[in-house]
Amino acid sequence: MPLSCKGRYRGVEPSRGDIDDALGNFTLTLVDTLDTLVVLGDFDEFEEAVQRVIESVSFDQDIVVSVFETNIRMLG
């Protein structure tokens, strides 16, 4: 939620249907910004973000996600 600078957590807040399914609750924004940090040349921040991904991102969840969003943002 970029305007309020807050995250959304599945099961804590009311579901917004397909919007929340696209988010998947697996830290899309953190992973999605890794390439931007490299392009900007901020390698110290990149290394810190990679450590955060290693420590906190888990794909071992039984949830519905948007295959399109997952492919373009996580695998891309």
Side-chain angles (χ1 to χ4, degrees):
M1 298 173 48
L3 296 178
S4 64
C5 296
K6 295 179 182 177
R8 290 193 52 85
Y9 300 95
R10 187 179 296 271
V12 175
E13 299 174 12
S15 175
R16 297 177 301 168
D18 291 345
I19 295 171
D20 287 335
D21 288 345
L23 298 175
N25 198 27
F26 47 80
T27 322
L28 275 177
T29 303
L30 178 59
V31 176
D32 200 22
T33 58
L34 291 176
D35 58 341
T36 303
L37 292 171
V38 172
V39 169
L40 294 174
D42 194 346
F43 299 110
D44 292 334
E45 190 69 29
F46 172 77
E47 289 180 23
E48 184 178 331
V50 168
Q51 286 301 319
R52 288 182 185 176
V53 168
I54 291 170
E55 294 168 2
S56 64
V57 176
S58 172
F59 299 103
D60 187 20
Q61 300 181 40
D62 187 16
I63 56 176
V64 175
V65 297
S66 165
V67 175
F68 175 77
E69 284 294 322
T70 302
N71 282 333
I72 65 168
R73 296 180 74 187
M74 300 301 281
L75 300 177

